[in-house]
Amino acid sequence: MSEATEITSIPGIGDPNDLENMFDRHHRIERVVDAKSSVLLFKLPGGVWDGKELHTSVQVDELDGEDEDILVNDASLYPLRLNAILGRKVKQIGTIVDEATIKAIVPKLSALDRAAILICIRRVTHGDIISGMEVKCSACDTMFKASPDLSSITYIRPLKPDQNEWEFKLPKASAKAGRDVIVRWRTFNGEMEQRIAQVSKQIGNKDALTWRIMGRLVSIDGKDMGLKDEHFGTDGKIKQDKVLVDLFRAVKLMSQADRNSLRHEFRRVEGDIDLSVSGKCSNPSCPSPDQKFTLDITDINFFFPKEGQSG
């Protein structure tokens, strides 16, 4: 295994306690110094808090044949496959090097950190550039080729990386009730992603946005309404118990304005990733040749570039 490649320092990170402008928390994981290394060391947008220390540096290794077989195994839910990949490829988190400890941490990583790690695994395996990626122009429907640079992807850091639980006053519900109606939730992580995937496998995409909110919740207006492992049977299917029905109804009946405000709050405090990249349509008659499109890092093809797309 090659010596780990260290990333250059990341300038311009704003104060994570700044409540006014989350864009002060923008940063980019810099380009790999030595693209030939099989190991990449980088800083997480958030990090792993162990109760005493925030671990923000992570070392990852490149994908191999065993990882390919894990990725294409349709018998397993995709989040479980990603957990397996992360558990195999993450070699160190801060000062944590014990393999069993890392495998236990992986499902609890925030969605933002998981996305960052997956992108860096792809970068160290295939390089920063996705050469000749086929894209459909949104203005003229022409298929053209773009070469997005994964090192240009930016992240908004979490408001407080050492905090996992949050609360928010629902504006419309509070105005109607004449008092504060508070929602408490936890930062979205791999375990929650797995639960949502189990629900989706059982019922499809019906009520997908509602389940996405439910997966985070701890309580609504003081009532315990979290989606827990106990709500799922040994077969992975969701149970129809009263607590779950009450939770579903409460989120379903929440006004669209409050749901939207809550989603904005999720993004504001948990951080976010900007997967939009640029390309230029090849059609000389295109009315809008400068194109923006979004990378789908959840697509398995993200890890299986076509010939000539690595670089």
Side-chain angles (χ1 to χ4, degrees):
M1 183 179 293
S2 304
E3 183 177 352
T5 302
E6 187 166 1
I7 299 305
T8 55
S9 61
I10 302 174
I13 296 178
D15 180 357
N17 294 313
D18 179 8
L19 300 178
E20 298 299 322
N21 187 358
M22 69 181 179
F23 292 101
D24 285 347
R25 312 199 307 270
H26 264 291
H27 81 270
R28 175 180 294 130
I29 295 178
E30 301 294 344
R31 186 184 299 275
V32 185
V33 177
D34 176 11
K36 295 180 180 180
S37 174
S38 68
V39 179
L40 175 65
L41 181 68
F42 70 100
K43 287 186 178 294
L44 288 170
V48 175
W49 175 251
D50 66 5
K52 297 179 180 179
E53 179 183 358
L54 183 67
H55 300 269
T56 58
S57 64
V58 173
Q59 180 179 303
V60 298
D61 200 355
E62 63 182 338
L63 297 172
D64 58 25
E66 181 69 24
D67 302 311
E68 278 197 345
D69 290 336
I70 292 171
L71 283 168
V72 300
N73 181 13
D74 291 338
S76 176
L77 289 171
Y78 196 52
L80 288 176
R81 285 180 260 167
L82 293 183
N83 283 343
I85 294 296
L86 291 170
R88 283 173 48 81
K89 299 293 101 175
V90 174
K91 300 301 181 183
Q92 184 170 341
I93 303 176
T95 58
I96 303 169
V97 295
D98 179 68
E99 184 177 350
T101 302
I102 290 173
K103 287 184 184 297
I105 289 173
V106 159
K108 301 181 186 300
L109 286 169
S110 71
L112 176 61
D113 282 343
R114 286 164 65 84
I117 294 172
L118 289 171
I119 289 170
C120 282
I121 290 173
R122 201 280 181 195
R123 286 174 64 186
V124 77
T125 302
H126 297 293
D128 289 344
I129 309 298
I130 306 178
S131 302
M133 180 178 177
E134 293 186 346
V135 182
K136 186 175 183 179
C137 178
S138 62
C140 69
D141 292 338
T142 298
M143 296 299 296
F144 68 95
K145 291 185 177 181
S147 298
D149 184 349
L150 294 177
S151 71
S152 69
I153 290 174
T154 57
Y155 306 85
I156 301 172
R157 296 182 68 220
L159 187 64
K160 296 180 180 180
D162 59 349
Q163 182 172 329
N164 182 50
E165 195 164 303
W166 313 87
E167 63 178 41
F168 178 66
K169 183 177 78 172
L170 296 177
K172 200 158 190 176
S174 297
K176 285 183 176 180
R179 59 179 177 81
D180 290 353
V181 177
I182 304 296
V183 168
R184 292 175 58 231
W185 82 94
R186 294 190 180 97
T187 299
F188 198 73
N189 62 24
E191 290 179 339
M192 298 173 189
E193 185 179 7
Q194 180 182 328
R195 289 170 183 158
I196 300 303
Q198 288 173 324
V199 172
S200 179
K201 182 179 180 181
Q202 184 176 342
I203 66 175
N205 288 325
K206 182 182 179 183
D207 305 311
L209 294 180
T210 295
W211 286 105
R212 194 78 178 176
I213 293 174
M214 287 171 60
R216 283 177 164 92
L217 293 187
V218 175
S219 66
I220 300 178
D221 202 19
K223 299 176 183 177
D224 183 6
M225 289 193 170
L227 186 62
K228 304 180 178 67
D229 286 338
E230 64 197 51
H231 294 138
F232 296 87
T234 54
D235 59 357
K237 292 185 177 181
I238 196 161
K239 300 177 182 177
Q240 296 295 321
D241 63 16
K242 185 180 184 302
V243 174
L244 191 60
V245 171
D246 288 345
L247 170 60
F248 182 83
R249 184 180 295 113
V251 178
K252 194 76 169 174
L253 295 179
M254 191 183 295
S255 73
Q256 200 274 334
D258 277 348
R259 285 165 61 115
N260 203 46
S261 295
L262 188 56
R263 281 188 289 264
H264 281 297
E265 187 68 1
F266 291 160
R267 181 173 183 264
R268 187 183 77 86
V269 302
E270 293 182 21
D272 200 7
I273 179 172
D274 183 4
L275 292 171
S276 61
V277 290
S278 302
K280 196 173 188 69
C281 180
S282 57
N283 181 1
S285 301
C286 180
S288 182
D290 293 323
Q291 292 285 300
K292 282 271 192 182
F293 55 96
T294 302
L295 288 175
D296 184 3
I297 64 172
T298 65
D299 186 340
I300 195 171
N301 291 318
F302 179 71
F303 297 102
F304 289 86
K306 294 180 180 178
E307 186 175 356
Q309 284 190 347
S310 298

